Structures are given as structure tokens and as C-alpha cells.
Amino acid sequence: GQQVMQIPQYQHVQEGEDFTTYCNSSTTLSNIQWYKQRPGGHPVFLIQLVKSGEVKKQKRLTFQFGEAKKNSSLHITATQTTDVGTYFCAGLGDRSGGSNYKLTFGKGTLLTVNP
Amino acid sequence: DSGVTQTPKHLITATGQRVTLRCSPRSGDLSVYWYQQSLDQGLQFLIQYYNGEERAKGNILERFSAQQFPDLHSELNLSSLELGDSALYFCASSVGLGEDTGELFFGEGSRLTVL
């Protein structure tokens, strides 16, 4: 079945450093979503990417969807303490991949920021 | 506030017992999802309902069952509880299904502790 791998599992940075988390799917995706879960909180939707090669920005966050629609990344520039949390990608499989539009979450990357 | 309501927020029970977790989706959302999140674990997909019908099953144990009622609220029943069932159970809702899934709105979760 469809698998979504996310790396790294943990990342600790100094405030002001950049951060990147990567997501790879075993099958072609219809779209990919990113969520953030603050410590003690619930996942909150950040963005959805649909088109091959798509790049979207939200302030210091840059999201990319690969050309083959099988991988994605989230890059945070100049991290702040408010960026702390777990970042999840969730891939929606497309019909050609046999996953029939099933949404599969990666295991997440826990980001901690040292002030 | 995501608009998704989960009750109870916290639940402590003993092994062998049965509990029911309740979820009211966001107004207008027809899809309801249940996820299990254990300590340091990602979001384990359990089951999805759309407009009252089961649409997808994940790694849901036979001791667990769920349903979605005509008013679209959903219940997750956990029986013969074991220590390992202690986790945070999230409900999420979305507008559509398949390619039109859209973003998921998560509730605040129900934290189950089995002693």
C-alpha cells in the first residue's frame, strides 16, 4: 500500500537557523498537505500543494511539491521559538497509484528551537 | 477553534473495560476520520466515514469499532482495553471525499489512559 516517509524524525536548531523536513511517497500523489502540531495541541492545516513542481510561500515557510508528485519539502527560514512543534506531511494518493485517493500521513518531524 | 468537537477530553479507565469516544464534525463536513497518536508516534489512521458509510479502514483493531450517525456525529468504541491502548485519539473532518477531500480539521483529541 501507499507509504509516506518523512525525515528527519527530530531536528533541533538554534533560533535563527533554517530548518527543512522532507516527505517521500511510494506512489504518485494527487496532492500533498502539510500540518503543524504544537506541543500538547492538535494538528492544524498549513497548506495544500496540487501541481507538479509547485512552490508556495507563507512568510518564512516555503513548501515545494516535486516534479514527479512523489516528494515534498517544507523549509523554514530563520526559525523562531514559535516554530516549535511537529510538522506532518499527508499525501493523497491518486487513482493511478492504486491508493484510490487515500490520505496517508508521514510520521512527522519534531522541531525544537533553542532560543 | 477548528469546529470539531470531541468528548471526553480525558478518560481514565481500567484494563478490560469499554469506552466510547464521541466526535461532532465541523458544520457541513461529511467525512469523519479517527486517528490514534501514541507517545512519540505519528498519526495512525484508524477509520473514515463519509455521510454515514464506512469508506476506508486503517490499522484498526478488531476490539475497536466506529460508526457515523445520520446527524453526522461519530463514535469510536474501544473494548477489552489494554494498557497499550493508552493514547490520544483524534477525530478530524473534511468537506469531501477522494480527490475532493480538502483539508482536515482536527478536534482537540480525547486522551485515554488505561491503568
Side-chain angles (χ1 to χ4, degrees):
Chain A
Q2 179 186 338
Q3 292 186 339
V4 175
M5 307 298 294
Q6 193 173 350
I7 58 170
Q9 190 174 358
Y10 305 98
Q11 183 77 60
H12 177 75
V13 300
Q14 290 292 126
E15 189 172 23
E17 292 182 340
D18 292 356
F19 159 77
T20 304
T21 174
Y22 301 90
C23 191
N24 288 286
S25 171
S26 59
T27 61
T28 305
L29 300 172
S30 176
N31 64 53
I32 193 156
Q33 301 174 354
W34 285 91
Y35 293 79
K36 176 183 179 181
Q37 183 178 17
R38 294 182 186 274
H42 59 277
V44 175
F45 175 83
L46 294 176
I47 208 162
Q48 175 171 290
L49 305 172
V50 179
K51 298 177 182 177
S52 169
E54 188 170 15
V55 178
K56 286 189 176 180
K57 293 189 176 185
Q58 289 180 349
K59 297 183 180 179
R60 295 177 295 103
L61 278 61
T62 301
F63 304 84
Q64 293 188 336
F65 200 10
E67 295 290 341
K69 300 186 73 173
K70 295 182 70 174
N71 61 285
S72 180
S73 64
L74 158 59
H75 179 82
I76 302 179
T77 303
T79 54
Q80 300 175 358
T81 54
T82 53
D83 295 325
V84 165
T86 301
Y87 292 85
F88 293 97
C89 63
L92 186 70
D94 70 4
R95 190 167 291 177
S96 67
S99 58
N100 204 21
Y101 302 119
K102 178 184 172 184
L103 187 67
T104 303
F105 278 79
K107 289 192 179 298
T109 297
L110 173 60
L111 172 65
T112 54
V113 180
N114 198 28
Chain B
D1 182 11
S2 67
V4 178
T5 304
Q6 287 188 249
T7 56
K9 286 186 171 26
H10 301 276
L11 191 55
I12 301 174
T13 189
T15 54
Q17 295 298 305
R18 171 190 171 95
V19 298
T20 297
L21 309 181
R22 182 188 168 99
C23 170
S24 293
R26 204 174 62 117
S27 178
D29 286 356
L30 299 179
S31 275
V32 169
Y33 309 76
W34 286 98
Y35 290 89
Q36 179 192 57
Q37 187 173 47
S38 303
L39 196 62
D40 292 335
Q41 293 293 312
L43 293 161
Q44 300 296 317
F45 170 66
L46 296 178
I47 200 163
Q48 178 196 359
Y49 283 85
Y50 178 81
N51 204 19
E53 293 189 5
E54 181 185 306
R55 295 307 298 252
K57 250 184 178 179
N59 298 322
I60 187 167
L61 299 172
E62 286 192 9
R63 300 183 287 108
F64 296 1
S65 65
Q67 55 184 326
Q68 186 181 27
F69 295 88
D71 66 353
L72 301 178
H73 91 270
S74 179
E75 292 181 355
L76 178 66
N77 301 295
L78 314 175
S79 62
S80 302
L81 286 168
E82 302 176 358
L83 295 178
D85 297 328
S86 295
L88 189 53
Y89 292 84
F90 283 110
C91 170
S93 71
S94 69
V95 171
L97 184 69
E99 196 173 21
D100 300 319
T101 294
E103 67 179 276
L104 267 58
F105 295 86
F106 282 81
E108 295 187 355
S110 293
R111 182 168 296 282
L112 172 66
T113 302
V114 182
L115 301 176

